[in-house]
Amino acid sequence: MKGLLEYLKKEREQDWRVELRSKLKNKERTQLERLAMPEQAADIRNKNFAEVNLGLSEEQARHEAQRCIDCPNPTCITGCPVGINIPKFIKKIEAGEFLDAARVLKETNSLPAVCGRVCPQEVQCEQVCFYPQKLNKPPVAIGFLERFAADYEQNSGKISVPDIPAVNGIKVASVGSGPAGLAFAGDMAKMGYDVTVFEALHEIGGVLKYGIPEFRLPNKIVDAEIDILKKMGVKFVNNFIVGKTATIEDLKKEGFSAFLVGSGAGLPNFMHIPGENYIGIYSSNEYLTRVNLMNAADPEYDTPVISGKSVAVIGGGNTAMDAVRISKRLGAGRSMIIYRRSIEEMPARVEEIKHAKEEGIEFLNLHNPVEYFADEHGRVNKMKVQKMELGEPDASGRRRPIPIEGSEFFIDVDTVVVSVGVSPNPLIPQSMKELDVSSWGTINVNKETMQTSIPDIFAGGDIVRGGATVILAMGDGRNAAAAMDRHIKGKVRELISLIKEFKTIGEVLEFAK
Amino acid sequence: MNKIIEKEYFSDSVVKLVVEAPQIAKSRKAGHFVIVRIGQKGERIPLTIAGADVEKGTITIIIQKVGVTSIKLCNLEVGETITDVVGPLGQHTHIEKVGTVLASGGGVGVAPLLPIVEALKNAGNKVITVLAARTKELIILEQQMRMHSDEVVIMTDDGSYGKKGLVTDGMEEVIKREKVDLAVTVGPAVMMKFVTILTKKYNIPTVASLNTLMVDGTGMCGACRVTVGGKTKFVCVDGPEFDAHEVDFNEMMLRLNSYKPEEEEAYENFLNKYRKA
């Protein structure tokens, strides 16, 4: 930690940074207003799948970058799960060195264009920014700037590929190609490892492809970042389910030394209320997968989706917001969020709730479904909901919703999306009985090293956390990569010291057996 | 991309494909399935693995033309490739020696039944197999079934082959004749429903292999959910085989028709394009 602070200080004292700081007084910088993200108009965007946020222009980005006063003690970095050198990349933007800014991002973040779009900056870097902490003003728009630099580089045609040292010939694998796996792969490749990423689906990217919709994170942005990893030598194998197509034991025999399990959140949760299996009632995973991964909204594609006129999405998280906004884009007249707590307790990002409201989504807060009804073909046509009130805080610190007796009423619906969380994917734990797993089905790890009960196996992302964010999964992937590198090098040193103890070649060969 | 090595027509609408998939061939067991996708715009559909050759690195799948994807698959020729094949998925069949097993297969369900019959026979069971179809042309894999069964009973709706009658008629005759310790059934949901009613009457433990809609096939989406013993189960990771006496077949049949209007429209569009081409 001390080394890091000294490094950051040294970076801050570089001539170009000092000069840039002298160009504008702090007082002038703090007078500048935070820019709003340019967006597609709400009544237009809720009929298309193009990106909602349009990104900053060069002038806008430089303006926003000027707001950053380049603090001597940059607290923002402590709020970043992957430890981006935030002031440095922002100052590069202010200096107009946009490609350099992107390079700074990529030193610690393999997916800057993704993170610039989907990270909850308001509860991370931006929350601990100088502005809200000391001035009670809106923070520097670090997320918008990250997206700007990453997009600028992607569009420049001059994408930099991080330097790769001499390959060390050690094979490691990631189980899953979501954010944990991709961050891990990038870091391991940078350290010279021979990395293979196994993916169960036909597309690489995990939740970035099947989960997050095109209007928040276009697939081509994800593919561009994956392409860089490919140029760094990372191999991707799709249609391969570790634990089924081949086991970790099989892969060890093929020469893989260590593994990161980033297999993600698997089984969708349901509420187990009457009628929940009627036609037209989806898990959010299914609804999103059909639309995002399988392109069900495009008639050219074979996968169908039921796109109703009156859609209820149950839940208050980001996934629920994604699902309800998709339903509007699929032509629903009425799209509703039904959530059992009040809007303040919603786990979704403020920006997603705001966007959803602008797009005409109805919010039925303090409501809970109790039963579904269907027509003679088994298609859902009605639901019964109950009103709730908030009681005492529960274990999560949020006030517990309590049903109000006799408050039930009916709503006509033809599509329902149940978005009440997921349980970890059971495939890996099922295939490795000796792996230490919690009663929730998540893999238990050492929280610093991400190492599991099996020393050569590390894990990160939703398979460990149960349900978290892209950036936390990426942080796990990075921590696992650092710890795996230490673990493997430790093993190699041990091996060398053992070999040194042998007196004859014969003993060495005997040991090698 | 998985290459097609061999193709055989069992009838106009039922095709057998032998497909290159060395890893799956090595790992698969009776009861497992794969998910396939044809073309970059294709959908993902589950198909049971009917057999495998580890040395040649191939798996066998048997497809009945029922909709757009199955027709696309049946139209592929030797040397062409399937865009995506992933597996083996699901829980494999629990195989043990129980005594006498009465296996029943209807329509294209006979294909997934074959490896189960083979494994049950190899485990030392006496296996009696009832194969049923609408008409003679639709009876498939009879010779292979005979190789692995002690007795094969053929039933056709129109009496054009074997005995005239339903699968349950053939089964009941066997049940009345001798003690059956276990029944195994694979076929259309409505057939399995009536098989289950029959075996319940005679108190015979019964396993059904369910063929629901799926998207990812790895437990992620829940499209395949069924009610078994009052609880929601996922066919892709908890199944595909379940205690048939506990399965809510009525709900399953409704859910199988989830996309009937969409499927019919897609089928019409496909045929129109096909005719133009």
Side-chain angles (χ1 to χ4, degrees), chain A residues 239 245 282-283 285 302 379, chain B residues 27 72 84 220-221 258-259:
Chain A
N239 293 327
T245 311
Y282 290 105
S283 73
N285 269 2
D302 292 343
R379 292 188 170 238
Chain B
S27 306
K72 281 185 185 173
D84 299 290
M220 199 180 79
C221 81
S258 290
Y259 296 99

Side-chain angles (χ1 to χ4, degrees), chain B residues 9-36:
Chain B
Y9 282 91
F10 285 154
S11 72
D12 283 348
S13 63
V14 180
V15 170
K16 171 184 130 177
L17 294 178
V18 177
V19 183
E20 215 169 58
Q23 284 278 8
I24 302 173
K26 225 185 327 183
S27 306
R28 76 97 210 186
K29 288 184 175 150
H32 277 145
F33 65 92
V34 288
I35 293 262
V36 304

Side-chain angles (χ1 to χ4, degrees), chain A residues 365-435:
Chain A
N365 283 94
L366 294 166
H367 284 75
N368 206 31
V370 286
E371 188 172 358
Y372 299 102
F373 302 88
D375 65 14
E376 71 274 21
H377 305 294
R379 292 188 170 238
V380 67
N381 60 9
K382 200 161 55 173
M383 68 190 288
K384 189 186 196 176
V385 296
Q386 188 170 35
K387 290 187 182 169
M388 314 288 278
E389 60 188 353
L390 291 179
E392 294 299 309
D394 63 10
S396 73
R398 297 179 298 178
R399 293 177 66 191
R400 187 194 305 275
I402 301 165
I404 302 173
E405 290 304 321
S407 66
E408 295 89 347
F409 66 100
F410 295 93
I411 303 175
D412 288 337
V413 287
D414 52 9
T415 307
V416 175
V417 182
V418 182
S419 184
V420 295
V422 285
S423 302
N425 194 309
L427 286 177
I428 290 286
Q430 267 177 11
S431 73
M432 304 193 75
K433 300 286 177 220
E434 65 276 36
L435 197 65

Side-chain angles (χ1 to χ4, degrees), chain A residues 16 70 80 116 134 164 166 183 185 222-223 226 268 318 367 372 391 502:
Chain A
W16 70 272
D70 201 3
C80 177
K134 298 282 193 260
I164 303 296
V222 182
D223 284 331
I226 291 167
N318 286 323
H367 284 75
Y372 299 102
F502 296 129

Side-chain angles (χ1 to χ4, degrees), chain B residues 175-195:
Chain B
I175 294 168
K176 281 182 173 159
R177 187 185 73 197
E178 61 186 289
K179 183 175 176 289
V180 173
D181 300 291
L182 175 73
V184 178
T185 183
V186 195
V190 62
M191 177 202 115
M192 292 193 283
K193 177 185 163 176
F194 284 103
V195 166

Side-chain angles (χ1 to χ4, degrees), chain A residues 320-371:
Chain A
M321 296 306 136
D322 286 343
V324 80
R325 293 171 71 195
I326 283 177
S327 74
K328 200 78 190 170
R329 284 159 173 79
L330 291 175
R334 190 177 186 198
S335 293
M336 292 162 272
I337 283 284
I338 296 182
Y339 181 56
R340 64 199 179 117
R341 301 179 197 250
S342 74
I343 204 150
E344 284 75 36
E345 283 90 15
M346 275 197 171
R349 289 185 70 190
V350 176
E351 183 186 33
E352 307 310 327
I353 296 172
K354 174 181 154 272
H355 278 159
K357 282 187 168 169
E358 289 167 359
E359 287 167 16
I361 307 300
E362 280 175 60
F363 281 72
L364 275 77
N365 283 94
L366 294 166
H367 284 75
N368 206 31
V370 286
E371 188 172 358

Side-chain angles (χ1 to χ4, degrees), chain A residues 213-262:
Chain A
E214 198 69 9
F215 57 81
R216 272 210 303 136
L217 178 63
N219 282 344
K220 70 174 203 310
I221 297 284
V222 182
D223 284 331
E225 312 236 58
I226 291 167
D227 267 348
I228 298 173
L229 291 171
K230 282 182 186 162
K231 286 187 183 136
M232 288 163 67
V234 176
K235 297 175 196 119
F236 290 94
V237 181
N238 67 347
N239 293 327
F240 195 108
I241 305 174
V242 176
K244 287 282 185 188
T245 311
T247 61
I248 286 204
E249 283 309 310
D250 296 332
L251 293 172
K252 273 189 177 168
K253 282 180 202 139
E254 285 182 30
F256 287 95
S257 302
F259 301 84
L260 172 83
V261 179

Side-chain angles (χ1 to χ4, degrees), chain A residues 199-203 210 238-241 244-247 250-251 254 265-268 270 272 276-287 289-290 293-295 298 300-307 376-379 418 422 425-427 430, chain B residues 1-2 23-24 26-27 32 37-38 40-44 68-69 72 83-92 213-227 232 234 237-238 251 254-263 266 273:
Chain A
E199 168 56 49
L201 292 171
H202 56 269
E203 280 273 351
Y210 75 74
N238 67 347
N239 293 327
F240 195 108
I241 305 174
K244 287 282 185 188
T245 311
T247 61
D250 296 332
L251 293 172
E254 285 182 30
L267 302 167
F270 286 93
H272 305 292
E276 210 173 17
N277 289 346
Y278 284 134
I279 300 169
I281 303 182
Y282 290 105
S283 73
S284 49
N285 269 2
E286 181 181 358
Y287 192 67
T289 300
R290 284 182 183 272
L293 179 76
M294 306 307 296
N295 286 297
D298 183 340
E300 286 289 303
Y301 286 73
D302 292 343
T303 302
V305 66
I306 296 171
S307 48
E376 71 274 21
H377 305 294
R379 292 188 170 238
V418 182
V422 285
N425 194 309
L427 286 177
Q430 267 177 11
Chain B
M1 294 289 235
N2 301 63
Q23 284 278 8
I24 302 173
K26 225 185 327 183
S27 306
H32 277 145
R37 189 174 73 119
I38 322 295
Q40 294 305 327
K41 293 178 179 174
E43 64 181 338
R44 294 167 66 97
V68 173
T69 303
K72 281 185 185 173
T83 316
D84 299 290
V85 178
V86 62
L89 293 160
Q91 304 288 339
H92 60 78
L213 302 180
M214 290 186 192
V215 185
D216 66 291
T218 63
M220 199 180 79
C221 81
C224 64
R225 65 193 193 272
V226 290
T227 303
T232 294
F234 290 179
V237 287
D238 299 323
E251 178 189 274
L254 283 178
R255 287 186 61 80
L256 277 170
N257 287 332
S258 290
Y259 296 99
K260 209 164 185 197
E262 289 84 357
E263 280 163 1
K273 260 193 219 168

